[in-house]
Amino acid sequence: MAGASYASRTAAPSRHPLTGESRDTTMKAIRYRVYGPPDVLQLEDVGMPAVGDDEILIRVKAASVNPLDWHNMRGTPYLVRLTMGLSRPKDHAMGGDLAGCVEAVGRNVTKFRPGDEVFGGRGNSPIERAAAFAEYASLHQDAMVTRKPVGLTFEEAASVPVAAVTALQALCHKGRIRAGHRVLINGAAGGVGTFAVQLAKAYGAEVTAVCSTRNVEMVGSIGADHVVDYTKEDFTRTGRRYDLVLDLVANRSLTDNRRILDPKGVFLECAPAEGLWAGPVVALVKMMVYSKIVRRRMPFVLCKESQDDLVVLRELIEAGKITPVIDRGYTLGEVPEAVGYLEKGHARGKVVITL
């Protein structure tokens, strides 16, 4: 699938596709030139993104922060630097989730037209992501982008793509969730977790959510049938068994998680990268080996771009089955603070950026 375009224009001012007025060739955007803590993220004046024949130019109204953003900022796990750049990043753009209005379209574009309100994002590839932390971004018309759900604000829409698609692909594609399944979600209060709870309920499952004390009420309010406060109860020692276990925090061993699986149950790992060097590669190999030994399905989940999955989510949102949970908002200039906050691991739902 074609990716986002980051080429800059340096020609004379172009014309706005709707008003015909001249348009600036620069914009505000977050860029980083070295790996490091949040203060390496800088707000800069940069060239407008180019718009290819099959691409759309989006005026970004809102964006959201994902764990991949701070991993890219830090250049971790170090293995990804083989493609991102060994000593410093090759690509200086940041941000994967966005919502906004189509500003212009390439001559081959048939799915969108100027003025359309859209939302979309990128998957977990460390070197292919939309430059969402910017006033404008360009995406291929077949990328993970589609019409914004009716009734959502731009901030709410921007919180959906990567987190909700990850939850959908984990539960539906990998877990093959069915009505009546008993599902446990460890890390239910985070970005992926809040969508996973609601999706599991939408598909008719009985949901047990694991979170901290401060999040018990919130997780219950979005539909969890049972809420386990991990500070007071060990969810692996309750005697309950589940058809699906979705692990979003990797704070328990595979042996512990196996204990709570039904004999035909599926364990889904979708946790932050472990370790500074190989990260998810180690976790993936461990899952593959262990699943062979214990003869259980234990897939590792990474978000794959899918316009079709995003459409499914839009329909569920418009049907009232899913409501985004937003922790707090920041401005474009406050992206360093937003990424730093998410990196601490205490966000409830999503962290959004308003432009």
Side-chain angles (χ1 to χ4, degrees), residues 164-185 192-193 195-208 223 225 242-246 264-268 297 299 301 309 312-313 316 322:
V165 167
T166 300
L168 180 70
Q169 292 177 350
L171 294 173
C172 297
H173 303 340
K174 299 288 187 178
R176 302 169 190 170
I177 193 170
R178 296 290 184 271
H181 271 177
R182 294 156 297 167
V183 177
L184 180 135
I185 299 166
V192 176
F195 285 114
V197 168
Q198 296 177 81
L199 279 167
K201 288 302 298 178
Y203 282 92
E206 178 184 331
V207 180
T208 297
D225 298 289
Y242 302 92
D243 301 290
L244 295 178
V245 173
L246 175 57
K264 295 183 179 180
V266 180
F267 175 68
L268 302 158
R297 287 187 57 230
V301 181
D309 285 343
V312 169
L313 288 164
L316 287 169
I322 300 173

Side-chain angles (χ1 to χ4, degrees), residues 206-225:
E206 178 184 331
V207 180
T208 297
V210 181
C211 62
S212 65
T213 305
R214 65 188 285 263
N215 294 317
V216 167
E217 184 177 351
M218 181 273 287
V219 171
S221 73
I222 60 175
D225 298 289

